[in-house]
Structures are given as structure tokens and as C-alpha cells.
């Protein structure tokens, strides 16, 4: 029997949503074992004087428990 857990993390990047996602997955892999999947729950932009300054994503990360 397999048991999985889902956690929620928030990640950001000054470059793109894709970069924010990759940074979040990289960090999750550093601190969790058996990361199997993730999905984007939310995306947010921070804007300053009409320019995008930060891309932020909220990820739900699934990992299998030992």
C-alpha cells in the first residue's frame, strides 16, 4: 500500500512563472523524499509602475511516505 502526502508551497521568480515552478520543485526535492507530482494551484503577478516585477506560484506538491 502506498500513502502520499500533499503540501502547499509558494515560490517566486523575477523571470517567469516557469522559473518560479522550477525553483519550487528544486527546493521541494532538496527537503522531501519521493516527490512524485505537483500542480499549480494559483499564479500571481506583482506589478510596479506598469512593469511585472515578480511571478509567484502556489504549488501543491505530492510525495510518497516511506
Amino acid at each position: 500500500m502506498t500513502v502520499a502526502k500533499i503540501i502547499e508551497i509558494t515560490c517566486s521568480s523575477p523571470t517567469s512563472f516557469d522559473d518560479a515552478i522550477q525553483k519550487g520543485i528544486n527546493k521541494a526535492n532538496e527537503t522531501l523524499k519521493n516527490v512524485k507530482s505537483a500542480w499549480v494551484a494559483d499564479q500571481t503577478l506583482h506589478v510596479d509602475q506598469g512593469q511585472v516585477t515578480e511571478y509567484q506560484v502556489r504549488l501543491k506538491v505530492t510525495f510518497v511516505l516511506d
Side-chain angles (χ1 to χ4, degrees):
M1 178 171 84
T2 301
V3 177
K5 183 169 183 160
I6 299 170
I7 62 165
E8 187 172 285
I9 61 174
T10 302
C11 329
S12 62
S13 167
T15 309
S16 67
F17 286 121
D18 287 341
D19 189 50
I21 292 166
Q22 191 60 59
K23 285 181 179 182
I25 295 300
N26 290 346
K27 192 61 167 178
N29 275 316
E30 287 177 16
T31 58
L32 300 169
K33 293 193 294 185
N34 303 319
V35 173
K36 297 299 179 188
S37 66
W39 68 93
V40 177
D42 194 25
Q43 295 180 325
T44 308
L45 290 170
H46 292 263
V47 179
D48 186 26
Q49 296 180 358
Q51 298 295 316
V52 175
T53 58
E54 184 177 56
Y55 299 83
Q56 189 174 57
V57 294
R58 189 167 45 97
L59 297 175
K60 297 209 177 207
V61 179
T62 302
F63 61 100
V64 175
L65 300 174
D66 290 335

